Amino acid sequence: MADVTPQEMAGKLLAKGFSRSGPVVSELSDPIVETPMIVTLDELFPYELDPRITRNPLYEEIKASIRERGLDAPPSITRRPGADHYIIRNGGNTRLSILRELWSETKDERFFRIPCLFRPWPERGEIIALTGHLAENELHGGLTFIERALGVEKARELYEQESGKPLSQSELARRLSADGYPVQQSHISRMQDTVRYLLPVIPTVLYNGLGRHQVERLAVMRKAAELSWQKCASDRPLSTDFETLFHDVLAPFDTQPEAFSIGRVRDELIGQMAADLGADYNALELEIDSTEHRQRAVSSPPSTPADDGSGSVAIRTATTPKPVPVQDNDAVVHSPMQGQMADTSRDDAGARLQDHIVSPAATTERLQAIQQLVAEQTGEQLPVFADTVLQAIPVQAGGLFPITDIWFIESGLDSPDRLRIHIAQFAREIAEEAKLTDRIEPLDAGIGFTCKAPQQGRTPSAFGRRVLTLLRALSLHYDAEPDGDQHLDINLGALLLGSDIRDAKVPHRLSDNSLVKFFRLVRLARRLIDLEANPDDAGD
């Protein structure tokens, strides 16, 4: 290396600084892990979709605490990809608003520069942020019912954008629970009704904190009144529809929550409906009251037949006798003669009903009402035994799984595992008639059961052998030795129809109860085989 003269060294030292030839980074990228940082009020914005719309009821207490102590816990913040500002990640909009107020009032630097915990924007960022704010607000100060309803409605929109298809209420409930904000499906139904029907009419009352129980009572009353309106208005021309009538009745009550009265709304609504329909006020009130009770039953536990009525709800089912109205000018009266005719008709119907019951199915009116309301929520047409008793298929038989319709299969039963459970139980109950329950073994394959080999030294009766022959012929997985020379073609007629040989000690044919269960077993087994062959048909 050549020697550098003093003049050359001085020239190098006095030369201008090095210049960059590559690109210049204007700012650092966001951290990829949770990182504490300090941000200013100018850099931090509230979360735009925060479900809280009204002022936090604990606002002043939180402000006093922050003024004296500062922030006890740093708020969690994040930033959308490409955004130029940070946002509150899950809960903290109230604290941010308070910090802005305190900075404006005091100019104290500790309210302007805020210690925060940065968390990277997640893959499902909008949904995670919204459900996080919903959950956090529930824990701190709570939300009004309408705020929760609007938050859940916004979550539904985000989920549908994510999946590209509409969501049922049950699926929405499942997704909210998976993302950390569990909500019952029945509450989601009430929330959607509130946003659709109540918010446009009484926003002041709702935003000022009308409670969940009052909102639900109002929603249930609206639905019950609408059903009564549709039934009464189906055969007459009317100048208005129910939605307009409900809006006109409810709108004048949009005052402060303290002055809001469900009873006054109810009285005004029924009165206006009676005037428009030309119906009797008391009859209309009884019908709406009955429908309300049935709707509420879906969210309350079922009662037992021994309930004395204390704390319970009296429910009128489809079989409840109703008076026959007679039109007399503008009034509705009830004819005593028609009442007697109706009583006679009900007596005949009751006799026919009893003739179709092989063994009573243990149930209650409340349980029936709950099943009917659940079916209405899912859009399923649930058959009512008393309504379809004169048809060919319905027949009632008791047991672990009571039968009220041989053919109908509920959506909750329409899966291979559930069908096998029911089939095996019916096989056990049929075998029980021959005292051979121990010979039926449940399986997770085939149609759900098999017939086990007999115990050493125990020989079934002739009737028992016939029962086992029948059940063995249905089972696809029987591999034991038969009990003697049994032929289905010889024994099937005697088993199902009976024979001339009668022994008072031994049954000569299947009882009516077991026959109904046999038909139900066959129906379920046929459906099971169809599902195994075509799994995509489940639920059809």
Side-chain angles (χ1 to χ4, degrees):
M1 180 177 178
D3 294 336
V4 180
T5 65
Q7 292 79 8
E8 291 173 338
M9 179 66 72
K12 290 182 180 291
L13 292 173
L14 295 174
K16 293 182 178 180
F18 297 104
S19 61
R20 294 180 179 270
S21 58
V24 178
V25 178
S26 60
E27 61 182 32
L28 296 175
S29 61
D30 289 332
I32 61 174
V33 296
E34 291 188 3
T35 305
M37 61 171 57
I38 294 178
V39 299
T40 66
L41 291 179
D42 295 336
E43 299 173 303
L44 183 58
F45 284 41
Y47 176 58
E48 305 91 329
L49 301 181
D50 183 19
R52 183 181 295 284
I53 300 173
T54 58
R55 184 185 178 94
N56 190 322
L58 302 177
Y59 190 94
E60 293 302 329
E61 290 87 339
I62 297 173
K63 183 177 180 179
S65 175
I66 293 177
R67 184 195 300 272
E68 297 299 325
R69 300 159 51 91
L71 289 174
D72 288 333
S76 176
I77 64 174
T78 188
R79 179 153 60 180
R80 294 185 178 92
D84 58 0
H85 62 271
Y86 300 99
I87 59 172
I88 298 293
R89 184 178 185 273
N90 56 341
N93 280 0
T94 296
R95 285 175 287 170
L96 179 58
S97 175
I98 289 172
L99 288 170
R100 293 187 184 281
E101 281 190 12
L102 292 174
W103 165 247
S104 176
E105 294 170 2
T106 66
K107 299 301 180 183
D108 189 334
E109 193 72 11
R110 66 192 178 106
F111 300 134
F112 182 73
R113 298 185 181 277
I114 314 164
C116 299
L117 179 63
F118 177 85
R119 292 182 175 178
W121 184 257
E123 181 180 355
R124 302 170 62 243
E126 295 296 348
I127 292 176
I128 298 302
L130 177 57
T131 54
H133 276 271
L134 282 166
E136 190 71 16
N137 276 300
E138 288 288 354
L139 293 174
H140 300 91
L143 295 170
T144 63
F145 184 85
I146 188 60
E147 288 172 334
R148 287 198 298 272
L150 289 171
V152 168
E153 184 66 13
K154 184 61 182 179
R156 180 189 60 78
E157 294 177 11
L158 295 177
Y159 283 128
E160 290 182 349
Q161 291 174 11
E162 182 182 53
S163 63
K165 61 181 181 180
L167 296 184
S168 65
Q169 293 175 358
S170 57
E171 177 63 15
L172 176 57
R174 188 193 67 78
R175 295 198 181 201
L176 286 169
S177 179
D179 286 328
Y181 187 65
V183 183
Q184 294 181 13
Q185 185 267 330
S186 60
H187 288 177
I188 291 177
S189 176
R190 296 284 183 258
M191 289 175 175
Q192 292 181 349
D193 285 349
T194 302
V195 173
R196 179 178 178 183
Y197 300 113
L198 304 184
L199 182 58
V201 190
I202 52 170
T204 302
V205 170
L206 291 172
Y207 283 128
N208 277 278
L210 191 66
R212 177 175 68 86
H213 294 296
Q214 288 179 294
V215 172
E216 291 185 346
R217 283 184 59 197
L218 191 57
V220 169
M221 181 187 69
R222 191 209 67 81
K223 181 63 175 177
E226 183 181 25
L227 292 173
S228 297
W229 174 274
Q230 291 173 349
K231 184 169 67 174
C232 296
S234 59
D235 57 349
R236 67 185 73 186
L238 296 171
S239 59
T240 186
D241 57 14
F242 178 80
E243 193 163 340
T244 302
L245 179 141
F246 183 75
H247 184 284
D248 293 343
V249 168
L250 190 58
F253 291 92
D254 191 26
T255 57
Q256 294 301 316
E258 300 79 18
F260 187 82
S261 169
I262 298 289
R264 290 175 55 203
V265 174
R266 178 190 179 86
D267 180 67
E268 184 67 24
L269 178 62
I270 296 176
Q272 190 61 50
M273 288 176 60
D276 289 354
L277 295 170
D280 178 69
Y281 178 99
N282 293 327
L284 198 58
E285 182 182 31
L286 285 174
E287 185 172 347
I288 292 175
D289 179 68
S290 174
T291 307
E292 282 183 276
H293 286 320
R294 290 201 300 271
Q295 290 186 71
R296 290 196 190 98
V298 73
S299 57
S300 62
S303 63
T304 62
D307 280 347
D308 60 2
S310 58
S312 64
V313 180
I315 297 176
R316 297 179 179 90
T317 63
T319 58
T320 301
K322 295 181 179 179
V324 181
V326 179
Q327 205 68 31
D328 179 17
N329 295 330
D330 295 332
V332 177
V333 297
H334 301 287
S335 165
M337 178 60 69
Q338 287 187 328
Q340 294 174 9
M341 293 171 63
D343 290 340
T344 303
S345 176
R346 286 194 296 270
D347 291 342
D348 293 341
R352 291 196 299 271
L353 178 67
Q354 292 303 318
D355 288 342
H356 284 75
I357 297 177
V358 176
S359 62
T363 184
T364 64
E365 290 185 348
R366 183 188 291 271
L367 179 57
Q368 294 171 9
I370 291 173
Q371 292 171 338
Q372 184 62 41
L373 289 174
V374 170
E376 290 174 2
Q377 292 287 341
T378 59
E380 189 175 15
Q381 293 296 324
L382 190 66
V384 179
F385 176 69
D387 292 347
T388 57
V389 67
L390 298 183
Q391 297 179 11
I393 292 176
V395 67
Q396 187 176 117
L400 182 60
F401 301 124
I403 301 169
T404 55
D405 191 305
I406 291 175
W407 196 255
F408 179 75
I409 297 176
E410 301 88 343
S411 58
L413 174 58
D414 199 25
S415 64
D417 55 338
R418 295 292 302 165
L419 288 169
R420 287 190 176 96
I421 292 173
H422 281 239
I423 290 170
Q425 179 60 30
F426 287 136
R428 279 194 295 267
E429 292 180 9
I430 293 170
E432 184 179 5
E433 195 163 304
K435 297 180 172 54
L436 295 173
T437 309
D438 59 320
R439 298 288 298 276
I440 305 301
E441 180 178 4
L443 288 179
D444 293 331
I447 64 167
F449 73 93
T450 187
C451 297
K452 297 190 298 184
Q455 296 179 0
Q456 190 70 26
R458 181 180 175 186
T459 302
S461 64
F463 173 73
R465 292 196 297 272
R466 292 170 186 167
V467 171
L468 289 177
T469 300
L470 177 64
L471 296 177
R472 182 185 305 119
L474 297 177
S475 175
L476 302 180
H477 283 262
Y478 179 75
D479 55 4
E481 292 296 327
D483 299 320
D485 185 15
Q486 293 291 307
H487 299 284
L488 189 60
D489 56 346
I490 298 175
N491 292 280
L492 183 60
L495 184 64
L496 298 182
L497 305 179
S499 65
D500 295 333
I501 302 175
R502 302 292 179 91
D503 185 344
K505 298 180 180 179
V506 179
H508 66 285
R509 67 180 182 183
L510 285 178
S511 67
D512 292 344
N513 199 17
S514 291
L515 187 63
V516 171
K517 293 173 182 177
F518 170 71
F519 290 147
R520 180 63 170 171
L521 186 157
V522 171
R523 163 60 176 152
L524 298 184
R526 288 162 60 97
R527 177 58 178 164
L528 172 60
I529 292 172
D530 290 344
L531 285 180
E532 294 282 297
N534 300 288
D536 293 338
D537 291 342
D540 293 343

